[in-house]
Amino acid sequence: MSLNFQIAIAVGFGGAFGSILRFYAVDYVHKMELGNFPFGILLVNIFGSFLIGILYAYFSTHDVSTIIKAFLIAGFLGGLTTFSTFALDSYLLFNSSLNYAMLNILSNLIGSIFFVLIGFKLAIFFISADLTAVGFP
């Protein structure tokens, strides 16, 4: 799939729809007051993973335009949840290499959490630091 303007627009529109759906779904579940566990995010991650499995099977057996695929997979499901594409990549890796599948899963989970920590620590450092000492006005 080569990137062109039509594909980029399809991804953008799909991402907007997916992001809006995620916002409302998470808000709706949050209003159910089910405790402190992020059930809304879990719901969209599982639902997005379910949908990407269906779409992958369909796209593997039917001729569907690249623009529609981009709109639904990278756009809509990417906006709804990036977890669905991670799940598909992991599933596909399981079919070819258990080692790569586990490396993908562990690297994504541990690496993402680790870099949340690093980003948080850096932000706190710069927020609390005297930035004039390093040349910032």
Side-chain angles (χ1 to χ4, degrees):
M1 169 171 50
S2 65
L3 184 62
N4 65 39
F5 185 70
Q6 290 176 323
I7 292 172
I9 293 297
V11 170
F13 277 113
F17 290 126
S19 296
I20 291 167
L21 178 60
R22 180 184 65 231
F23 175 79
Y24 280 111
V26 169
D27 185 61
Y28 179 79
V29 172
H30 179 72
K31 288 178 181 175
M32 296 174 144
E33 298 183 13
L34 300 171
N36 291 329
F37 189 81
F39 284 107
I41 295 297
L42 178 62
L43 173 73
V44 296
N45 282 339
I46 289 172
F47 181 67
S49 295
F50 176 71
L51 283 180
I52 205 169
I54 290 171
L55 291 174
Y56 180 73
Y58 185 81
F59 295 159
S60 296
T61 58
H62 294 79
D63 188 28
V64 179
S65 81
T66 302
I67 292 172
I68 298 295
K69 290 178 188 177
F71 175 85
L72 291 171
I73 299 290
F76 178 73
L77 290 177
L80 180 66
T81 171
T82 58
F83 195 82
S84 60
T85 52
F86 161 71
L88 177 62
D89 287 344
S90 298
Y91 168 77
L92 294 174
L93 284 170
F94 268 120
N95 290 329
S96 61
S97 169
L98 178 61
N99 290 338
Y100 281 139
M102 295 308 297
L103 178 63
N104 183 56
I105 291 166
L106 293 173
S107 297
N108 273 281
L109 292 176
I110 294 169
S112 295
I113 293 168
F114 177 72
F115 277 95
V116 166
L117 171 70
I118 297 298
F120 178 81
K121 295 290 187 183
L122 282 172
I124 293 298
F125 172 77
F126 284 114
I127 289 168
S128 63
D130 180 9
L131 296 180
T132 58
V134 290
F136 287 96

